[in-house]
Structures are given as C-alpha cells and as structure tokens.
Amino acid sequence: MCRQRPHGDAAAAGGHHEGGCMTTLKDDTERLHELGYAQELKRGMSGFSNFAVSFTIISILTGCLTTYSLGYLAGGPVAITWGWLLVGAFVMLVGAAMAEVCSSYPTAGGLYYWSAKLAPKNGPAWSWFTGWFNLIGQVAVTASIDFGFATFFATLLSLFKTDFVPTKWWLFIFYVITMVLHAALNTFGVNLVAKLNDVSVWWHVFGVLVVVAVLFLVPDDHQSAKDVFTKWNNETGWSFPGSGIYVFLIGCLLAQYTLTGYDASAHMTEETHDAEITGPKGIVRSVWVSVLAGWVLLIGLTFAIQSYDSATGTETGVPPAQIFIDAVGDTGGKLLLLIVIGAQLFCGAASITANSRMIYAFSRDGALPGMKSWYLPVSHSLLAAAPLAFPAFDQLLRTGDTDL
C-alpha cells in the first residue's frame, strides 16, 4: 500500500494528491534523480513485495535442507541448532547496517553504489571490486539454487519411478530447464514477479508449519532434546588439537549459505514504492523472520531423525528426503519433499530477479563488458535472461558422466 507524503504543492493543499501513490512515486523519482539516475524501471512493487523478494531468496526451505548434511557431518546437531542462531545474530547486524545505508541510497546498484559513496578515497575502485564480487556471488548462488532443485526433483522422480537413475546428465538437463523457466518468468515484468514472490512468502510460512507439524505428530519416535541440542558429530576427517572449532565453523556454513540474498530488497528499490523506507524494512524483516522460522524448521527436522546412519548414508543422496521417508512413510515423505521443491522453484526465480537488476545497474554505470548488450532499460525480456549462461556453463563443467 502506498503512503501519501505531502510534498511541494500537494503539501500546501493539505497533502492531497490525485491518488495516494502519486506523491510517493514523485518523491521516489526525484530521489533517484538526486542519486544520478533516471526512472527507467516501472515502480510496481509494494513494501510487502519488496520484503518477499529477499525472503524468497533466503528461502529457509531451500537453504536449510540443501545443506543439512553439511551441518550434520561438520558438528552435528550442535552446529545445526546453535550455529544457526550464532550466524543469524551476526547476519542480523549486517542486515541492519545494510538497511541503514539503503535508506540513504535506494538504487538498484545496491552494495557497489554504496561503496562508491561511502569510501573515504578511491571510491570507484572499491565500487568496482564490490560490484564484481556481488555479481559473481549472485551468479554462483543462482546456479546453486537451481542445481539444488534439480537434485531434489530427480530424487522425487526416483521415488515415484523406481527404475529411474538420476545421473549427472539428467541433473544437468533438469537444471537447464529450470533456469530457462525462471528466466522466462522474469520476462513478464515486475508485476508478475511481485505476485509470485507474494505467494512464495505464504508457501514458505505454511510450508514450514506443515513440515514441522507432520514431523512432530506422525512419527512414534523422536530424538531426545539432549541429542538435538548437545549431540556432537565430526565426520570431516579433521582431528588436530582445537579442530572442533574449525569443524563447528564449517558446520555453520549451513546457516551462512542460507541467510544470504537479502540485498535483493536494495536491488529492487527502483521498482518499489516509498523505496527509502520499504527497502530497508524489507532487508531487516526478511532476515529476522528467516532466522526464527529457519530455527524452528531445523529443530523439527532434527527431532524427527529416526536413524542417523540411514539419513547420512541414504541412496537418494538427499538426507532430508530420507528423514521424511523414515519419519512419515513413502507417501508422506513425497508430499513433504514436494513442498520443499515448490519453495526451491520460487527461490530460483527470485534469485534471477535480483541478479538481473544487478546486471542492469552495473551495465548502466559502465562496469560490465559489453554493457550496451546487457543494459536493457524498462522491461526487455533479455534483462531477466542475462544471468542464464554463466551458471549453466558452471554446471556443464561439473558434469562428468555421459550416460543418460
């Protein structure tokens, strides 16, 4: 919902303007001009939609379950349960700091633009390095999200079709199809993107509630609270003096991998109403909601483990899928896995949304090779498809076998 702010002639008239959104839109456009840019992208996103983009990219159902085995092998439930809260606290501090800067500089460039403005000297150099690290990270995480989806989808398919063997080439094919689908969805403009992310918020919220409730109510046996909160496990091979700290930090990558992408709220500010307020709120809200909901999800999943050996040694290659099946049976496990796969689809689409805006802004400032090809104002479809080639090539390099 747009918030009317008295401005100029409208203030003299008691703050009235034709439509509450008009004054806010005018203020947003003027502020963007002050920062050195024209209003080229359509401002069609509400504050909730801005929050939804970051919340969807964080996607606790995607990140927590994709990397759950990493946390278990490196620290076990201690790293999973307490590492999540530790990392979440630090991420909250980072998010609050980013939100403060975003309130002053609400542009699609986000971090690299802020670096240029805040650096005491050599601003362009700091901006260039920040931008490239940000861009490479976004490309990598987009690849990771959709390859994670391909892995979970192949696992689900093998559960329905027992003679199906998910080879690396099948994973790659599923991955490429998913990337093309996500790029295509992003070609229909910001309104569709906003609606998809709005739906995604509730998919994640109710999805977590369903998963945790089923894992709590259906199984006859659960792990003890002592195991969930204090059990230590180290299967990394590291055993030098003090290695426990190192192993714990590796296990914390579960949380660190998941709690990323909240800068998307900044990248979407040029398409968001009342951006200097709603953008920062989107960053902070997406982090704290994800931290709380993610902790509940991880505790529920760990309590539901029926056999640690079965979960870590599963033939599916996806420990959470095995935990679901062991806890609630084949049918229930498939349904829970379907909820996770839906969240991964939303997550990948939102990641390309943020990635494309980063490429747009970076090209607009002349920092990307071939910038005239990548810089496509307003709503050209190639803007959303631009990140597609890089992650696809990355996954092709990782594909070893040739048998379908």
Side-chain angles (χ1 to χ4, degrees):
M1 179 177 180
C2 296
R3 182 173 60 85
Q4 182 175 345
R5 292 183 295 180
H7 178 84
D9 295 337
H16 177 73
H17 202 290
E18 183 181 344
C21 292
M22 296 301 295
T23 301
T24 299
L25 182 59
K26 180 179 179 182
D27 291 343
D28 286 328
T29 302
E30 289 181 351
R31 179 56 184 149
L32 189 58
H33 288 169
E34 291 172 0
L35 296 174
Y37 300 111
Q39 180 67 60
E40 296 177 313
L41 301 176
K42 179 183 177 181
R43 287 192 184 271
M45 298 186 72
S46 65
F48 181 82
S49 295
N50 182 280
F51 149 78
V53 173
S54 287
F55 183 70
T56 299
I57 295 178
I58 293 175
S59 184
I60 52 178
L61 284 169
T62 299
C64 289
L65 300 187
T66 301
T67 57
Y68 185 82
S69 60
L70 173 63
Y72 180 76
L73 296 175
V78 169
I80 293 170
T81 304
W82 300 114
W84 178 268
L85 291 181
L86 176 65
V87 172
F90 282 108
V91 171
M92 192 67 233
L93 294 177
V94 174
M98 288 175 58
E100 179 68 21
V101 181
C102 181
S103 68
S104 296
Y105 303 111
T107 72
L111 280 69
Y112 83 80
Y113 183 90
W114 305 344
S115 299
K117 292 298 181 180
L118 299 179
K121 60 179 180 179
N122 299 322
W126 286 113
S127 177
W128 189 87
F129 281 109
T130 301
W132 273 104
F133 277 121
N134 191 197
L135 177 58
I136 292 171
Q138 287 186 340
V139 169
V141 80
T142 302
S144 177
I145 293 166
D146 278 356
F147 197 72
F149 164 81
T151 302
F152 274 63
F153 178 77
T155 297
L156 181 64
L157 191 59
S158 68
L159 294 176
F160 280 104
K161 186 176 174 59
T162 56
D163 60 342
F164 172 74
V165 179
T167 63
K168 290 182 179 179
W169 268 106
W170 274 119
L171 294 180
F172 178 68
I173 291 171
F174 294 151
Y175 164 80
V176 172
I177 292 173
T178 307
M179 290 293 297
V180 172
L181 172 64
H182 285 159
L185 288 173
N186 275 274
T187 64
F188 293 101
V190 70
N191 289 337
L192 177 61
V193 169
K195 288 182 174 63
L196 287 174
N197 288 310
D198 290 352
V199 172
S200 172
V201 170
W202 301 113
W203 182 279
H204 278 79
V205 170
F206 287 110
V208 169
L209 291 176
V210 169
V211 170
V212 173
V214 170
L215 293 179
F216 177 75
L217 296 173
V218 175
D220 294 326
D221 299 314
H222 293 85
Q223 295 295 317
S224 67
K226 181 180 179 181
D227 281 348
V228 171
F229 293 102
T230 65
K231 182 179 175 65
W232 174 260
N233 183 52
N234 178 11
E235 298 182 35
T236 63
W238 296 103
S239 58
F240 57 86
S243 62
I245 297 176
Y246 181 66
V247 170
F248 176 78
L249 293 177
I250 293 177
C252 285
L253 289 175
L254 181 161
Q256 188 58 75
Y257 168 80
T258 304
L259 298 172
T260 56
Y262 44 89
D263 60 319
S265 288
H267 294 304
M268 302 304 297
T269 49
E270 292 186 28
E271 298 164 83
T272 305
H273 293 291
D274 211 3
E276 54 192 7
I277 294 177
T278 54
K281 285 184 176 180
I283 294 173
V284 174
R285 286 174 178 169
S286 65
V287 173
W288 74 257
V289 172
S290 296
V291 170
L292 292 180
W295 197 55
V296 172
L297 175 63
L298 289 172
I299 289 177
L301 187 63
T302 307
F303 263 115
I305 294 176
Q306 304 297 299
S307 168
Y308 286 110
D309 292 338
S310 175
T312 57
T314 175
E315 294 182 358
T316 68
V318 179
Q322 191 64 51
I323 294 173
F324 291 160
I325 293 170
D326 291 345
V328 301
D330 286 345
T331 301
K334 292 173 185 176
L335 291 176
L336 295 183
L337 195 58
L338 192 60
I339 293 175
V340 176
I341 287 174
Q344 291 172 327
L345 277 175
F346 283 119
C347 180
S351 183
I352 283 190
T353 300
N355 201 346
S356 64
R357 270 53 177 188
M358 171 62 192
I359 290 176
Y360 159 76
F362 215 34
S363 299
R364 177 176 62 184
D365 286 327
L368 198 65
M371 54 189 174
K372 291 183 179 180
S373 299
W374 298 111
Y375 173 44
L376 303 171
V378 197
S379 60
H380 291 299
S381 61
L382 291 180
L383 177 62
L388 177 62
F390 303 103
F393 181 69
D394 169 72
Q395 294 304 335
L396 180 60
L397 293 178
R398 293 172 55 184
T399 302
D401 54 27
T402 58
D403 296 328
L404 290 178

